[in-house]
RNA sequence: GCGGGCGUAGUUCAAUGGUAGAACGGCAGCCUUCCAAGCUGCACACGAGGGUUCGAUUCCCUUCGCCCGCUCCA
């Protein structure tokens, strides 16, 4: 019962987005292209506002985060180190009888067999592998399914110059970590933020712009000291409450406190742009969901109209952002694959270490050694080499050297835009004196993200004095915000148009503005989008009044 | 990628083997002293390609796209 209703809502939202110029299908005049979407005039403003708010709150308003803008195409070696070349290309095969599709490696494993590799490097199913659905052995050859978009650098298309469009922005940050550290005069703990396009050749793009093949990410990699270093310097690692914001960062925070901190910082961000806590959901990844290198991941979810309900009728929502504690995995991988040291030297740690008791030194040494050894072994380093390398790493720690750990809040911009749009969508049914009712749409965006901040409207179009004054007000506000001037049709129609665009305020220039009532000369009507209420304000106060509400 | 459904103005819909109408919206003009008022006029569509046919938007095939389910989602 609820299902068609939710689809209808989504359809209405899709129509509105097209009709008002928030979102269009990419390449529409050629029939479209699956998984790609364009933003129209209003959508482009909305998205720009969101990205600017993120960038501003993440970098400019903080002492400890700096920005980066890296290329989309990078050395393919980066994707080998990150694991994407391996994990993003699963061999798949189909059952020719019942048309089911399987991951070839899982299918073999389920039957106690092993996926084989031919000498040419192709995959082959083990003899006798059956379809787990219908039992048929008539299966297609396993075909690699690469989720990364591939291209060639240079005019010659050969395997030697294959490159990939980045499937995430994060890796560039790790790859440039040393450069940023050198040039920014930052010290751990600090972060590097980046906004940019990423590409994934999804099997099935679905749910409007939610899962698309080209999308934008806002990612922060926040580098912290390993807990063993914190303990060496401060005696112990701080514990913070499991819920709520832990407050201002403290020097004795370990990864758990930082992780907690970033989850709450991110929730604050969403609240600040109009997504209340009630519209959000949280998913704490369980041990078996976590990637092997991750210590913890909390997903921030948003309840979309297409989100499913569970058996209990509860809606969890879909992921807007994941905040992952990724240990020192990423930098370690790049150190191993590039051969370039990714560790840093911590003067404070070296000094503190020397003052520790032998017992404490041994304990911390041992713990660091174990965690490095675990990483190396899981990454395929032979046991003997792993323990040798881990010993070296632990000896390094004693001299003040370590590879920073990382907390990664990684958000999808386009998902957030869709969340803001569905969250803003409101229908208002009005009945006039004649009993005729109609449903109007009001897009209740937070003024901070609204594409148009203010509509400037002369009450009547055919009175040149009103038009002239309105144009003056428009020009007064225009350097400060996105203003929309409209003199077409009745004033009510123009209000309705701005409601659909989500414009929080409209300024109307009327005869009192011109001095019909002398005491009201040079004042205007301000009309509020969400309740239609009006107030009167002097033009001289207008700019500051608006700025206070849109910032 | 598989199965099912669907593609007609910007949007929502209608009709038809003889090349299409409406409502709303848009634009222009008139009018209009605060919430999609009114009048006049204008523009705009059969997703694409092929086939059958004297003739295809309509029937058939292919393709692209959208929706639902499966699959996938580092």
């Amino acid at each position: 019962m609820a299902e068609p209703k939710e689809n209808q809502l989504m359809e209405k939202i899709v129509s509105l987005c097209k009709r008002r110029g928030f979102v269009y299908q990419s390449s529409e005049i050629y029939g479209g292209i699956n998984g790609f979407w364009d933003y129209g005039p209003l959508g482009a403003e909305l998205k720009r506002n969101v990205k600017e708010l993120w960038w501003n709150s993440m970098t400019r308003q903080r002492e400890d985060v700096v920005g980066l803008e890296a290329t989309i195409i990078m050395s393919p070696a980066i994707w080998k180190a990150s694991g994407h070349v391996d994990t993003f290309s699963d061999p798949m095969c189909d059952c020719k009888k019942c048309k089911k599709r399987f991951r070839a490696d899982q299918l073999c494993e389920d039957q106690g067999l092993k996926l084989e590799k031919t000498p040419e490097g192709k995959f082959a199913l083990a003899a006798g592998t059956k379809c787990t659905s219908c039992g048929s052995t008539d299966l297609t050859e396993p075909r690699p399914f690469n989720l990364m978009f591939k291209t060639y650098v240079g005019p010659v298309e050969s395997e030697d110059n294959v490159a990939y469009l980045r499937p995430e922005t994060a890796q560039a940050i790790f790859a440039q970590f040393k450069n940023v550290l050198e040039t920014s005069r930052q010290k751990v703990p600090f972060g590097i933020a980046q906004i940019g396009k990423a590409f994934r050749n999804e099997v099935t793009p679905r749910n409007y712009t939610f899962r698309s093949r080209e999308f934008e990410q806002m990612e922060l990699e926040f580098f912290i000291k390993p807990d063993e270093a914190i303990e060496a310097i401060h005696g112990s690692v701080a514990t913070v409450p499991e819920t709520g914001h832990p407050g201002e960062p403290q020097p004795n925070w370990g990864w758990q406190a930082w992780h907690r901190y970033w989850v709450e910082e991110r929730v604050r961000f969403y609240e600040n742009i109009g997504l209340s806590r009630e519209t959000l959901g949280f998913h704490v990844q369980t041990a078996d969901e976590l990637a092997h290198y991750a210590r913890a991941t909390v997903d921030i979810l948003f309840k979309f109209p297409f989100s499913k309900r569970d058996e209990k009728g509860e809606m969890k929502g879909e992921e807007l952002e994941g905040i992952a504690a990724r240990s020192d995995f990423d930098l370690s991988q790049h150190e191993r694959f590039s051969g370039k040291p990714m560790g840093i030297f911590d003067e404070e740690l070296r000094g503190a270490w020397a003052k520790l008791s032998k017992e404490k030194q041994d304990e911390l040494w041992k713990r660091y050694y174990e965690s490095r050894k675990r990483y190396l072994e899981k990454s395929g380093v032979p046991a003997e080499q792993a323990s040798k390398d881990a010993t070296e790493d632990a000896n390094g720690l004693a001299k003040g050297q370590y590879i920073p750990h990382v907390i990664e809040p990684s958000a999808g911009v386009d998902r957030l835009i869709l969340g803001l749009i569905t969250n803003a969508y409101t229908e208002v049914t009005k009945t006039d004196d004649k009993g005729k009712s109609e449903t109007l749409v009001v897009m209740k965006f937070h003024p901070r993200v609204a594409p148009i901040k203010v509509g400037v409207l002369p009450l009547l179009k055919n009175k040149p004095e009103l038009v002239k004054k309105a144009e003056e007000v428009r020009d007064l506000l225009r350097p400060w915000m996105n203003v929309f001037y409209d003199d077409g049709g009745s004033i009510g129609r123009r209000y309705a148009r701005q409601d659909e665009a989500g414009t929080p305020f409209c300024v109307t220039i009327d005869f009192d503005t011109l001095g019909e009532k002398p005491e009201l000369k040079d004042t205007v009507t301000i009309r509020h989008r969400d309740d239609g209420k009006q107030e009167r304000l002097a033009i001289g106060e207008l700019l500051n009044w608006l700025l206070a509400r849109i910032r």
Side-chain angles (χ1 to χ4, degrees):
Chain A
M1 276 237 303
E3 194 86 345
K5 210 174 144 197
E6 282 153 9
N7 291 336
Q8 273 170 26
L9 173 58
M10 213 42 222
E11 276 168 30
K12 283 191 204 170
I13 290 169
V14 171
S15 285
L16 178 94
C17 284
K18 171 91 191 282
R19 188 157 51 80
R20 291 314 313 254
F22 282 99
V23 177
Y24 311 125
Q25 192 173 23
S26 169
S27 319
E28 196 189 82
I29 61 167
Y30 290 104
I33 176 166
N34 190 327
F36 297 87
W37 302 91
D38 292 342
Y39 289 95
L42 292 181
E45 288 290 339
L46 176 63
K47 189 170 175 183
R48 186 168 286 256
N49 290 342
V50 166
K51 288 195 288 183
E52 258 167 34
L53 284 164
W54 186 92
W55 186 262
N56 196 38
S57 72
M58 278 300 200
T59 66
R60 295 179 184 157
Q61 301 302 315
R62 298 185 64 101
E63 279 296 304
D64 57 356
V65 178
V66 292
L68 177 72
E69 182 153 331
T71 57
I72 286 168
I73 292 175
M74 296 182 269
S75 165
I78 286 184
W79 308 112
K80 294 206 176 77
S82 69
H84 285 85
V85 170
D86 295 329
T87 58
F88 255 53
S89 58
D90 299 321
M92 307 287 289
C93 62
D94 301 307
C95 172
K96 288 180 186 166
K97 266 229 172 90
C98 70
K99 309 287 182 197
K100 286 257 178 202
R101 162 164 297 171
F102 305 94
R103 260 180 68 175
D105 53 338
Q106 286 179 353
L107 190 65
C108 290
E109 253 170 59
D110 288 350
Q111 298 169 41
L113 301 163
K114 238 192 131 189
L115 185 66
E116 291 163 8
K117 234 179 177 176
T118 65
E120 302 90 65
K122 283 190 177 171
F123 289 106
L125 291 171
T129 308
K130 280 184 277 187
C131 168
T132 49
S133 176
C134 70
S136 167
T137 53
D138 193 9
L139 302 166
T140 63
E141 287 292 297
R143 289 162 298 178
F145 252 61
N146 202 316
L147 262 23
M148 283 198 290
F149 281 96
K150 220 181 205 180
T151 188
Y152 302 90
V153 173
V156 181
E157 294 189 8
S158 81
E159 283 306 303
D160 299 336
N161 55 15
V162 164
Y164 303 96
L165 304 192
R166 63 184 177 194
E168 62 171 36
T169 56
Q171 292 307 319
I173 297 179
F174 299 125
Q176 292 290 9
F177 170 71
K178 273 306 193 65
N179 275 334
V180 175
L181 183 73
E182 293 287 327
T183 52
S184 66
R185 303 189 59 241
Q186 290 283 349
K187 278 196 299 192
V188 173
F190 80 104
I192 304 174
Q194 179 169 227
I195 298 177
K197 286 281 179 90
F199 303 81
R200 288 179 202 179
N201 218 341
E202 298 285 355
V203 177
T204 316
R206 270 291 160 89
N207 290 327
Y208 201 31
T209 60
F210 183 79
R211 171 169 294 124
S212 45
R213 291 187 163 127
E214 172 172 343
F215 57 98
E216 204 152 11
Q217 292 185 307
M218 306 187 288
E219 294 195 298
L220 169 69
E221 303 300 333
F222 195 82
F223 300 97
I224 57 173
K225 303 179 188 192
D227 279 10
E228 290 82 5
I230 297 288
E231 205 172 322
I233 296 166
H234 299 282
S236 65
V237 176
T239 52
V240 294
E242 274 185 35
T243 54
H245 198 291
E248 285 302 300
Q250 299 301 320
N252 61 346
W253 276 8
W255 72 266
Q256 280 168 310
W258 276 112
H259 186 237
R260 191 70 241 144
Y261 169 84
W262 278 112
V263 170
E264 290 299 322
E265 281 288 297
R266 299 304 304 141
V267 172
R268 278 187 183 176
F269 175 79
Y270 292 118
E271 288 177 322
N272 270 325
I273 58 173
L275 300 182
S276 67
R277 221 169 248 262
E278 296 77 67
T279 67
L280 302 175
F282 297 90
H283 176 67
V284 180
Q285 288 194 10
T286 56
D288 51 315
E289 288 174 308
L290 285 173
H292 69 81
Y293 49 79
R295 298 235 165 122
T297 297
V298 172
D299 293 333
I300 299 177
L301 317 174
F302 176 77
K303 292 162 189 160
F304 286 94
F306 49 78
S307 293
K308 301 274 188 293
R309 290 175 188 280
D310 62 16
E311 314 81 51
K312 291 176 212 134
E314 277 176 43
M315 190 187 276
K316 280 207 81 171
E318 317 298 323
E319 184 184 340
L320 286 184
E321 169 159 0
I323 297 106
R326 295 172 64 94
S327 73
D328 55 4
F329 175 78
D330 302 279
L331 288 178
S332 299
Q333 285 290 101
H334 286 298
E335 179 171 289
R336 281 204 306 127
F337 278 72
S338 70
K340 305 284 192 305
M342 287 290 160
I344 63 142
F345 172 67
D346 189 327
E347 187 84 52
E348 196 183 10
L349 171 60
R350 187 170 67 167
W353 189 276
K355 292 186 194 124
L356 293 176
S357 67
K358 180 77 175 62
E359 252 177 353
K360 192 72 186 172
Q361 284 180 346
D362 287 349
E363 185 210 326
L364 292 176
W365 190 97
K366 181 97 175 122
R367 260 165 50 197
Y368 195 73
Y369 166 84
E370 292 295 344
S371 91
R372 289 301 298 168
K373 186 155 161 277
R374 218 174 309 128
Y375 154 72
L376 290 163
E377 282 177 350
K378 282 214 166 142
S379 303
V381 176
E384 200 177 317
Q385 186 67 39
S387 68
K388 206 177 136 210
D389 290 353
T391 303
E392 220 170 89
D393 292 339
N395 289 339
L397 186 77
K399 290 182 219 147
Q401 286 166 349
Y402 55 79
I403 290 178
H405 285 226
V406 70
I407 306 292
E408 176 193 85
S410 166
V413 186
D414 306 273
R415 293 175 168 197
L416 175 52
I417 298 302
L418 186 57
L420 290 170
I421 287 173
T422 60
N423 187 248
Y425 185 90
T426 313
E427 289 181 349
V428 179
T429 302
K430 285 185 182 171
T431 309
D432 64 14
D433 325 332
K434 296 168 200 126
K436 202 179 93 184
S437 71
E438 58 182 343
T439 301
L440 305 176
V441 174
V442 182
M443 294 299 282
K444 296 191 174 177
F445 292 118
H446 191 287
R448 278 196 268 264
V449 298
I452 301 168
K453 305 303 184 190
V454 61
V456 175
L457 323 168
L459 184 59
L460 296 176
K461 187 187 182 179
N462 61 356
K463 297 283 183 291
E465 321 84 81
L466 286 178
V467 171
K468 182 165 172 281
K469 195 73 184 173
E471 284 171 350
E472 281 172 30
V473 172
R474 175 196 65 192
D475 294 342
L476 165 79
L477 300 175
R478 185 174 265 171
W480 301 91
M481 63 192 76
N482 195 25
V483 183
F484 193 86
Y485 176 85
D486 191 0
D487 61 11
S490 70
I491 190 72
R493 172 180 298 255
R494 283 178 268 157
Y495 285 148
R497 276 200 281 247
Q498 292 309 308
D499 285 347
E500 272 193 348
T503 307
F505 309 107
C506 283
V507 169
T508 303
I509 285 74
D510 58 20
F511 293 93
D512 288 335
T513 314
L514 301 177
E516 197 169 272
K517 288 194 197 100
E519 71 275 19
L520 291 180
K521 187 167 162 42
D522 284 329
T523 63
V524 291
T525 303
I526 294 193
R527 181 260 189 188
H528 293 254
R529 174 193 65 201
D530 295 346
D531 55 14
K533 292 225 170 75
Q534 301 193 341
E535 57 187 298
R536 197 100 202 151
L537 201 70
I539 290 175
E541 296 167 40
L542 190 55
L543 178 61
N544 282 333
W545 188 95
L546 286 166
L547 288 177
R549 283 160 181 81
I550 64 172
R551 282 189 176 161

